[in-house]
Amino acid sequence: MGETLVRKEPFNLRKVLKENTMLLVLVAVMFLFEVLIRATDNGSLFVPANVNNIILQNSYVLILAAGMLLCILTGGNIDLSVGSVICLVGAIAATLIVNLHCNIYLAILISLVIGTAIGAWHGAFIAYLHIPPFITTLSGMLLWRGVALIVLDGMTISPFPQKYLNLFSSYIPEVLMPELSKQALTDTAAKAHLQGISLRVTMIVAIIICVVMILSQVLTRKRKEHKGYAVQGRGAFIARLVVITAAILIVSWLLGHHHGIPTVLILLAIVIACYSYYTQHTVPGRYLYAIGGNVKAAKLSGVNTDNVMMFAYTNMGFLSAVAALVCIARFNSAAPTAGQSYEMDAIGSCFIGGASAYGGTGTVSGAVIGAIFMGVLNNGMSILGVDSNWQQAVKGFVLLLAVIFDVVSKQRKSR
């Protein structure tokens, strides 16, 4: 048997910089904020509590961005209703759990079904009646916000039982050792013991994640080599693994010095892993890119574009329900104002992370980087005491720059 020809891509600095532009910008912005925060004696951006806050405050953005990306891939389409869906699903979950004392797992299931049904409602109008997504989801934004206000009757529902909060707004060591956690509130020795356990558990989990990630990447590279695909040079491949491993270990070390691994971080990891695999390694996932690239060509190739659109918006409803469950746990309440402008955060994260305004281009990992970028921007400006109005202006300007970069890049390619 002849040897399989393996094509190794030569190291191209320009290509590497282009593929990791937003990641490099994120790192630069983080260090810029660190310098400014230290210069103004406001502490540090990289203290454990601050890293933990960035994760918790932006958990809903990461969940929504994964779903919004699927909508954007189909041709630059968006879903404007996600904030209102979050408010409605949160209101229903709060009514079931707090007011009616329903079993929390049954309430979670009902909430997920309602969110998915709302997404299917939007998807049916968009996919089969061919009503523009902008109009459909704009009407949904008004409709579901109104229904949420009716359910809440203008009142805030709180607090939630601790059993529910443990699922989405607690930490692994505290959930596993509730008695020690209670004792740590008043006993310094117990607090130090709990923190030591948190650090050890967090670092063990981080090491396991790094090992699994490295093995997965090595096996993927081996499969590509066996099939004769072009692969990244060995030096660049190893450097990439080293950087990712170092980032995971550093973040884990910081979390371990706070309270440990947030339970919501496990949910985020599952969502990111599942949707990354779906978009990059499954046929239905590649259909999204095909439709965004050329919908007519996709139809002629046998792709049922209507079903793909239906799935994208049904899935968006499901993830909106997941984000709602996370949000009400974080705030320990369901309020009439919940979810306002959340759709903008999700859309902005996708575009900043490299998704094309025309569709057909974008990755879940890019959306995650975009969401983290938005989170660092918010957190850094808040620590520096920047007025909230200026914060909105800065985020809008950053989003505009990201879209301009995408448009200019496409124009250059077309020439």
Side-chain angles (χ1 to χ4, degrees):
M1 294 178 66
E3 291 185 4
T4 303
L5 179 62
V6 178
R7 294 182 292 121
K8 293 186 178 180
E9 296 179 345
F11 180 76
N12 188 327
L13 180 60
R14 185 176 179 181
K15 183 180 179 181
V16 171
L17 293 176
K18 186 176 180 181
E19 290 177 347
N20 298 279
T21 300
M22 275 314 303
L23 183 59
L24 296 173
V25 171
L26 172 61
V27 173
V29 168
M30 291 175 71
F31 278 102
L32 175 62
F33 273 124
E34 178 67 10
V35 171
L36 293 175
I37 290 170
R38 286 187 177 275
T40 54
D41 294 325
N42 284 310
S44 171
L45 183 69
F46 299 112
V47 296
N50 210 31
V51 173
N52 179 76
N53 287 337
I54 290 175
I55 294 172
L56 297 183
Q57 290 171 3
N58 296 278
S59 55
Y60 75 90
V61 183
L62 290 164
I63 295 169
L64 292 177
M68 192 67 72
L69 177 69
L70 270 59
C71 298
I72 292 173
L73 287 176
T74 60
N77 301 306
I78 56 175
D79 189 337
L80 295 173
S81 69
V82 295
S84 298
V85 175
I86 286 175
C87 185
L88 174 57
V89 173
I92 293 172
T95 301
L96 291 172
I97 297 172
V98 179
N99 292 350
L100 301 180
H101 305 290
C102 179
N103 178 275
I104 62 171
Y105 299 106
L106 177 60
I108 289 172
L109 178 61
I110 293 172
S111 300
L112 294 176
V113 170
I114 290 173
T116 305
I118 292 173
W121 168 275
H122 294 155
F125 286 109
I126 293 167
Y128 303 121
L129 296 182
H130 302 290
I131 297 175
F134 183 88
I135 300 300
T136 302
T137 57
L138 177 61
S139 66
M141 180 175 70
L142 302 175
L143 171 62
W144 308 125
R145 177 69 64 176
V147 175
L149 294 177
I150 293 171
V151 172
L152 291 171
D153 195 23
M155 305 294 289
T156 297
I157 300 177
S158 66
F160 284 82
Q162 188 61 43
K163 187 177 179 181
Y164 178 80
L165 298 179
N166 285 343
L167 295 175
F168 300 105
S169 63
S170 188
Y171 301 87
I172 297 300
E174 295 177 2
V175 173
L176 298 178
M177 295 174 290
E179 293 301 325
L180 182 60
S181 299
K182 290 180 182 178
Q183 187 180 354
L185 296 175
T186 56
D187 189 340
T188 306
K191 183 178 180 180
H193 180 52
L194 180 63
Q195 187 171 7
I197 294 174
S198 298
L199 180 59
R200 287 194 294 272
V201 170
T202 304
M203 294 310 297
I204 290 171
V205 172
I207 291 170
I208 292 172
I209 291 172
C210 290
V211 171
V212 172
M213 183 271 298
I214 292 171
L215 289 176
S216 175
Q217 292 292 317
V218 170
L219 291 175
T220 301
R221 179 183 171 87
K222 290 291 185 182
R223 281 197 296 269
K224 288 183 177 181
E225 289 179 344
H226 180 70
K227 294 178 180 179
Y229 295 154
V231 295
Q232 196 176 31
R234 182 170 296 177
F237 176 74
I238 294 174
R240 178 170 167 269
L241 290 181
V242 169
V243 170
I244 295 174
T245 301
I248 293 173
L249 293 176
I250 291 171
V251 171
S252 300
W253 186 83
L254 291 171
L255 291 176
H257 279 81
H258 189 247
H259 288 290
I261 302 173
T263 50
V264 73
L265 186 59
I266 297 174
L267 175 63
L268 293 177
I270 293 172
V271 169
I272 293 168
C274 289
Y275 283 87
S276 294
Y277 181 83
Y278 178 80
T279 54
Q280 298 297 318
H281 300 287
T282 68
V283 174
R286 303 310 296 178
Y287 285 166
L288 296 164
Y289 292 91
I291 293 174
N294 191 322
V295 65
K296 291 183 179 179
K299 283 184 177 180
L300 292 173
S301 300
V303 177
N304 190 324
T305 56
D306 291 345
N307 287 350
V308 174
M309 291 293 290
M310 177 70 181
F311 169 77
Y313 281 90
T314 302
N315 173 75
M316 188 71 255
F318 168 75
L319 287 181
S320 297
V322 175
L325 297 172
V326 171
C327 287
I328 59 176
R330 169 160 174 73
F331 297 115
N332 198 14
S333 64
T337 56
Q340 288 184 346
S341 300
Y342 282 15
E343 59 276 356
M344 299 306 169
D345 290 334
I347 294 167
S349 298
C350 292
F351 287 139
I352 290 172
S356 172
Y358 302 104
T361 302
T363 61
V364 173
S365 59
V368 169
I369 291 173
I372 295 173
F373 181 89
M374 296 280 280
V376 170
L377 209 60
N378 286 331
N379 195 268
M381 289 190 292
S382 297
I383 294 174
L384 290 172
V386 177
D387 184 76
S388 60
N389 297 321
W390 278 104
Q391 290 186 31
Q392 292 293 329
V394 170
K395 288 194 292 184
F397 183 66
V398 169
L399 177 58
L400 178 61
L401 288 179
V403 175
I404 290 174
F405 179 79
D406 171 58
V407 172
V408 171
S409 298
K410 284 195 174 294
Q411 288 178 345
R412 285 180 177 177
K413 288 181 180 179
S414 64
R415 294 196 194 104

